[in-house]
C-alpha cells in the first residue's frame, strides 16, 4: 500500500485546512477518500468561490475610441481572413491542417518570398475552431507542431474529466457562480499559458483574433472584439483567451454558460451606436442595431450569459458580413485595415461540420431523443451554415459590383485591379470517398484517437490545396513552393 495524501485547497472557504492521510489501494480507497472529503466539504455549505470577472473599460484620453482595434494598420496590400468552424477536436484538427498548408505554401508577393500564412490579417474561430484560432494568434509559427503536441495529441477530454473530479474542483462547482465551463476555462488557461487579448495587441505582425460565442438571451453572436466589449463598457485587453474559447465552446447542458458583467450603468464614457450609415430598411442592419442597443440598458441586463458560438453562427462569418452591411459597404469596412491600397482580399471559410449519426428517414419508427438531438444539430443545423455560405456568395458578388464603381469620396482603399478570392474548405469535399464517409462520422468531442487526428489534419491540407479557388488565387500570386504529398495521412508524430 502506498500512502494517499489528500489536501483541502487553501482557497476553499469555511472549512479547516485539515489534511487527511490514509493507507489505501489507489483504485478503491483513494476514490472513497475523495468522496468522504467531498461530503465533509459540502456539509459546511455551498462554496462561495467566484470565477474571473471582466473589468470595466478604462477612460481614454481625448475622444472615446469605442471601436478600438489592436494594433495599428500596416502597409498590407493583401487582406486575408480565415474562419474556422465549430466541431470540437474534429474541427480543430481539420482547421489545423488548413493552417499548416498555408504555413508551408510560399508565394512571391511584391518581389518577396513569403509564407502565405504570414499574410493573415484576421483569424476567426467558433467553438472547436476557436481553440486552434486562439492558439495561432497567441503563438504564431510555434503552432506547428506545438498545437498538435499540446492539444490534438493529448487526451484533453479525459484529463478534463479527471480535473473536474478533484475534490477542490467538485467543491467549487457547488458555488452558484461557478459552472462546468469555468473548469474548462482553467484547463484552457494552461494551454494558452495565461495569455490575454491584451497580450495579442502588443505582438506586431500577428493576426487579429475574432472568437464568437452566442448571447443566450438574444440567440445572436457575441464577438470578443473591442467594438463588442465597448457596448458593455468592458476592457477586452484583460480578458484571458481561455475565457473566450470556453464561452465559444460551452455546449448547452453538457457545459454551463459563461458570464460577463455589463458596466454601462457606471460607464466612464458614453457609448455611441452611430457607427453605421446603412439604411435601416435592411433587416440584417436592424437586427444588429437592436442587439447592440440591448446592451446599453445595464439595469435590465446587468449580466450577459454566453454559450457555444455555433448556435448562432457555426462558421464565424455571418457577423463579419452583417458588420460590412451595417458599415455601409466593403470600402467603409476595410478603410482602417491597411495604410496601403488593397490588391487582394482573400476569405478562406473552413467548415468541419459532420453528418448526422443516423439517417432517420430510413425508418418508420418514431425517432428517439438522442436521434432527434443529433438530427437537429447536424441535419437541420447544417442548413444554417449553408444559408451563411449562400449569404457569403451573394455578399461577395455585391462587393465586386461595388469595386467596379468609383469610391464616393474619391479615397479608395482598394487598388483599381483589386481581386476578391473566396475559398471554401469543406469536410464534405474530401476527395477520397472512403475517407469522406469516415471523417463525416467522427464525433464532436474534445479528444480523438491519434489515427483520426492524423486523417483530419491530412484532409485539411489536401482539401485546401486541391480547391480550384485556391489554385486560382495561387496563380495570381506567383507561387514559389507548395506542400507536397498532401494526401498522406501521416503526421510528424506518426513518422
Amino acid at each position: 500500500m502506498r500512502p494517499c495524501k489528500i489536501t483541502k485547497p487553501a482557497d476553499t472557504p469555511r472549512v479547516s485546512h485539515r489534511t487527511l492521510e490514509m493507507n489505501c489501494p489507489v483504485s478503491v480507497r483513494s476514490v472513497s477518500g475523495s468522496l468522504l472529503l467531498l461530503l465533509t466539504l459540502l456539509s459546511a455549505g455551498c462554496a462561495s468561490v467566484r470565477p474571473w470577472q471582466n473589468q470595466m473599460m478604462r477612460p481614454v484620453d481625448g475622444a472615446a475610441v469605442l471601436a478600438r482595434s489592436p494594433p495599428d494598420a500596416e502597409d498590407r496590400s493583401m487582406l486575408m481572413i480565415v474562419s474556422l468552424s465549430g466541431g470540437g477536436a474534429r474541427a480543430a484538427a481539420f482547421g489545423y491542417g488548413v493552417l499548416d498548408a498555408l504555413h508551408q505554401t510560399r508565394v512571391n508577393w511584391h518581389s518577396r518570398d513569403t509564407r502565405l500564412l504570414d499574410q493573415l490579417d484576421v483569424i476567426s474561430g467558433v467553438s472547436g475552431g476557436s481553440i486552434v484560432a486562439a492558439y495561432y494568434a497567441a503563438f504564431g509559427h510555434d503552432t506547428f507542431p506545438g498545437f498538435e503536441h499540446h492539444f490534438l495529441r493529448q487526451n484533453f477530454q479525459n484529463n478534463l474529466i479527471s480535473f473536474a473530479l478533484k475534490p477542490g474542483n467538485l467543491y467549487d462547482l457547488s458555488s452558484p457562480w461557478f459552472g462546468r465551463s469555468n473548469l474548462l476555462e482553467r484547463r484552457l488557461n494552461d494551454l494558452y499559458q495565461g495569455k490575454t487579448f491584451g497580450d495579442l495587441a502588443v505582438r506586431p505582425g500577428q493576426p487579429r483574433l475574432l472568437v464568437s460565442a452566442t448571447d443566450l438571451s438574444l440567440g445572436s453572436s457575441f464577438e470578443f472584439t473591442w467594438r463588442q466589449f465597448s457596448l458593455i463598457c468592458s476592457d477586452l485587453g484583460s480578458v484571458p483567451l481561455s475565457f473566450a474559447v470556453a464561452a465559444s465552446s460551452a455546449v448547452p447542458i453538457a457545459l454551463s454558460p459563461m458570464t460577463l458583467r455589463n458596466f454601462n450603468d457606471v460607464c466612464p464614457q458614453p457609448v455611441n451606436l452611430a457607427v453605421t450609415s446603412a439604411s435601416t430598411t435592411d433587416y440584417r442592419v436592424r437586427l444588429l442595431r437592436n442587439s447592440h442597443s440591448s446592451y446599453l440598458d445595464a439595469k435590465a441586463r446587468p449580466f450577459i450569459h454566453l454559450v457555444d458560438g455555433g448556435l448562432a453562427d457555426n462558421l464565424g462569418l455571418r457577423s463579419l458580413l452583417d458588420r460590412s452591411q451595417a458599415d455601409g459597404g466593403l470600402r467603409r469596412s476595410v478603410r482602417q485595415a491597411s495604410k496601403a491600397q488593397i490588391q487582394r482580399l482573400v476569405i478562406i471559410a473552413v467548415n468541419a461540420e459532420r453528418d448526422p449519426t443516423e439517417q432517420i428517414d430510413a425508418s418508420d419508427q418514431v425517432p428517439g431523443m438522442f436521434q432527434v438531438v443529433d438530427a437537429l444539430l447536424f441535419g437541420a443545423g447544417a442548413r444554417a451554415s449553408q444559408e451563411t455560405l449562400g449569404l457569403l456568395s451573394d455578399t461577395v458578388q455585391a462587393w465586386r459590383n461595388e469595386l467596379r464603381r468609383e469610391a464616393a469620396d474619391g479615397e479608395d482603399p482598394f487598388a483599381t485591379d483589386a481581386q476578391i478570392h473566396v475559398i471554401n474548405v469543406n469536410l464534405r469535399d474530401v476527395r477520397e470517398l472512403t475517407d469522406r464517409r469516415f471523417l463525416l462520422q467522427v464525433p464532436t468531442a474534445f479528444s480523438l484517437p491519434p489515427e483520426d487526428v492524423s486523417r483530419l489534419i491530412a484532409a485539411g491540407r489536401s482539401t485546401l490545396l486541391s480547391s480550384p479557388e485556391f489554385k486560382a488565387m495561387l496563380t495570381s500570386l506567383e507561387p514559389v513552393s507548395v506542400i507536397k504529398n498532401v494526401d498522406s495521412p501521416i503526421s510528424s508524430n506518426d513518422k
Side-chain angles (χ1 to χ4, degrees), residues 1-8 18-40 167:
M1 305 285 186
R2 70 178 181 85
C4 297
K5 187 175 182 180
I6 303 178
T7 305
K8 189 264 163 193
R18 178 181 300 173
T19 298
L20 301 180
E21 296 188 18
M22 66 197 88
N23 290 326
C24 57
V26 174
S27 59
V28 178
R29 288 280 184 90
S30 62
V31 175
S32 301
S34 296
L35 292 175
L36 176 61
L37 178 59
L38 176 61
L39 291 174
T40 302

Side-chain angles (χ1 to χ4, degrees), residues 91-307:
F94 189 68
Y96 175 82
V98 172
L99 294 178
D100 187 45
L102 294 172
H103 176 70
Q104 297 191 52
T105 299
R106 308 191 71 90
V107 296
N108 187 354
W109 183 241
H110 287 185
S111 301
R112 185 167 62 94
D113 181 355
T114 180
R115 295 181 188 274
L116 191 54
L117 191 58
D118 289 341
Q119 300 301 313
L120 182 61
D121 294 274
V122 177
I123 184 165
S124 169
V126 177
S127 195
S130 72
I131 301 175
V132 62
Y135 196 95
Y136 179 74
F139 301 109
H141 293 314
D142 290 340
T143 301
F144 314 100
F147 182 73
E148 189 174 350
H149 291 327
H150 297 138
F151 181 80
L152 293 177
R153 301 289 175 179
Q154 301 296 319
N155 197 332
F156 188 87
Q157 184 160 299
N158 280 359
N159 291 341
L160 179 62
I161 294 173
S162 300
F163 183 68
L165 291 176
K166 290 184 176 180
N169 290 330
L170 285 172
Y171 183 68
D172 287 347
L173 286 172
S174 69
S175 168
W177 300 283
F178 194 95
R180 295 177 298 281
S181 291
N182 295 111
L183 291 181
L184 170 63
E185 190 273 334
R186 285 180 177 176
R187 295 293 294 151
L188 289 170
N189 197 49
D190 292 337
L191 179 67
Y192 301 123
Q193 300 178 17
K195 291 185 181 294
T196 66
F197 279 86
D199 294 325
L200 303 186
V202 298
R203 298 188 67 210
Q206 288 302 111
R208 291 173 54 187
L209 173 65
L210 196 162
V211 174
S212 298
T214 297
D215 185 319
L216 183 57
S217 295
L218 301 181
S220 58
S221 287
F222 184 97
E223 302 170 332
F224 283 77
T225 63
W226 293 99
R227 177 181 282 184
Q228 181 84 63
F229 266 63
S230 73
L231 295 174
I232 60 173
C233 194
S234 185
D235 174 33
L236 177 65
S238 62
V239 177
L241 300 183
S242 55
F243 184 94
V245 174
S248 183
S249 305
V251 179
I253 309 301
L255 293 170
S256 57
M258 297 289 280
T259 302
L260 291 171
R261 166 81 188 277
N262 187 348
F263 291 100
N264 263 317
D265 54 339
V266 291
C267 193
Q269 55 196 32
V271 177
N272 176 19
L273 284 182
V275 295
T276 69
S277 60
S279 170
T280 54
T281 58
D282 188 293
Y283 82 96
R284 289 161 53 198
V285 176
R286 292 200 305 272
L287 288 175
L288 187 63
R289 287 180 174 175
N290 289 342
S291 67
H292 285 180
S293 297
S294 74
Y295 298 112
L296 302 187
D297 189 354
K299 291 184 178 179
R301 303 193 69 197
F303 298 98
I304 311 300
H305 301 288
L306 305 175
V307 293

Side-chain angles (χ1 to χ4, degrees), residues 448-461:
L448 296 173
E451 58 273 17
D452 292 3
V453 170
S454 297
R455 293 176 74 168
L456 284 161
I457 293 174
R461 293 188 188 118

Side-chain angles (χ1 to χ4, degrees), residues 298-377:
K299 291 184 178 179
R301 303 193 69 197
F303 298 98
I304 311 300
H305 301 288
L306 305 175
V307 293
D308 193 293
L311 297 177
D313 174 19
N314 199 47
L315 297 180
L317 284 172
R318 185 175 287 272
S319 57
L320 291 171
L321 300 178
D322 290 348
R323 175 69 60 191
S324 170
Q325 185 74 6
D327 285 344
L330 179 63
R331 285 188 172 102
R332 289 180 180 271
S333 293
V334 305
R335 196 173 294 278
Q336 303 301 320
S338 175
K339 296 177 181 178
Q341 282 194 314
I342 298 170
Q343 295 178 314
R344 297 288 188 280
L345 172 59
V346 180
I347 301 175
I348 301 177
V350 182
N351 184 4
E353 287 183 334
R354 71 171 179 86
D355 282 342
T357 304
E358 299 181 48
Q359 295 297 325
I360 58 176
D361 294 336
S363 172
D364 62 350
Q365 295 182 4
V366 177
M369 181 181 66
F370 291 107
Q371 291 174 309
V372 170
V373 171
D374 186 69
L376 286 174
L377 289 175

